[in-house]
Amino acid sequence: MIPPPPRHPLQRLQVSDGLLVTAERWQVAHQYHRQRQNLHFQAFHQGGIVSGLGVCPTEAPAQVANAYRDGRWLQVQPGVAIDAQGNPIVVPQPITYRIAAQPTTEAVLVYLVLKFVDPDQLEPRTGTHVVQETFRLEEKNSSPVEGEIELCRLVLLPGDGPITRPHNGFAPAANELDWRYRPLAQTHPLGSITLGYLTLAPQPQLDLEAALQGLVAALPGLYPSLRGEVRPVPLCLGQGLALTPADLQAYHLLHLTYGDSQTLAEAEIALLQTFGAGGGTLLIEVPPTGTPLAEIFQVWTEVVKVLCKPATVADPAMFNTLCHEQAELERCLILELAQYLRPVLAPSLGEGSTATEVSQPQWPLAGLVSQAHPLRRQPFAFGQGLSLHPQPLALFNWGWVVVVVGELTATWGGPKTQFMPRDSLRSAQEFGINLLHFAWQRRQWAITALPDPSPTAPSLDSIYERLDL
């Protein structure tokens, strides 16, 4: 998750004629501008490398003893970075650094990070009124934390093998510098979203994970306003695991197959309902074959394919007839779908529906996705015929539940994408991003609607005080 900027009100010096300027007041005046600049950076940007700061193997300095001439010396080149708090880090000249880690039995992952050092936290120097902001290079075995800029990482093998440049920068080997994870300073995304999947199997579903990872990997290039994360461990149902609502609330979007949805217990459905009430989104994927609605879906698919042909569009009479037939088939499809998914879908009627509608035979039609629905419009526009390789998808939405009939996740990543046309692959990614945006926005609204548990501050200069009420 992207950390929000600090919520500490800024304080500045109130200046008046005759004010005595002391060291403390001078600090208050200048600290205000520094904090304001850092707050602006944290709100709109994310820390990283601005320029330079390359890392390469180098020879040991001349004054170093022979015992330390072991091929583990690196040179950090001059450059500029900004940390997550908005503090600038300037390296004015090359720095020579030796990696001290020396694994003996197994490989060790080492990170080389750069940190801002506030001179106010250092021992004050006497005889000068000017101090220089500085930095610190550190070697560590854990992932960089907030305030640290990763310059490189490498896997060290036991032994005295030297550190070298990578032969292939996209796939560095052991004892080779890995530059792939160097963060770059850039604009802040709107938010982050976490994906997961529900399964009855205790082991991970590698194909599904690869598909979700493929969708997340498309975000930087297609929609950098969101960043994504896929949790590698599936949330197992029916395995005796004590899942709690807090476990699910860590996710924005959960995937559930049609087959697993048919075996959910009442307690599991109630758990999912709590997840939806907290702003979570559930994606149920129904395969195009092997289900009771496969026959209707096949006929609907053929009608949609004909509707998309230029010759059909050019014939108004045929086009209108097929549009009517497509709408009727979609009504039949959604009624059949709601019948088999009713235990999961019924709680979602709380959004935009009343309890009396549950007993009405037409209540499932509320799940029809119109052309103006955000799943078709934000951020990418899609027509009524949502066609992804190799066939159209039927799309429905009941509040926190999104149901897709057809192969959707397989078009995001995995073996089937190797032979997909580029246009189809891009369309699948763009629709997936619409789904992520929909899930992220639902969670944002849920957070906005929740009262803050913090103590309420007293009102300051309220309108009631001005009116002396």
Side-chain angles (χ1 to χ4, degrees), residues 82 107 114 147 167 221 273 295 308 332 348 452:
I82 301 181
L114 188 67
H167 290 85
Q273 182 180 1
E295 185 176 347
C308 295
C332 295
S348 67
D452 195 295

Side-chain angles (χ1 to χ4, degrees), residues 160-212:
D160 55 359
I163 298 173
T164 62
R165 297 174 181 267
H167 290 85
N168 180 2
F170 295 99
N175 282 30
E176 293 183 348
L177 295 176
D178 188 346
W179 305 309
R180 294 175 296 173
Y181 304 97
R182 289 161 51 92
L184 300 179
Q186 54 190 297
T187 55
H188 217 307
L190 288 176
S192 58
I193 183 168
T194 304
L195 288 69
Y197 60 89
L198 298 157
T199 176
L200 297 178
Q203 65 275 9
Q205 297 183 5
L206 299 181
D207 288 346
L208 182 55
E209 283 190 18
L212 298 179

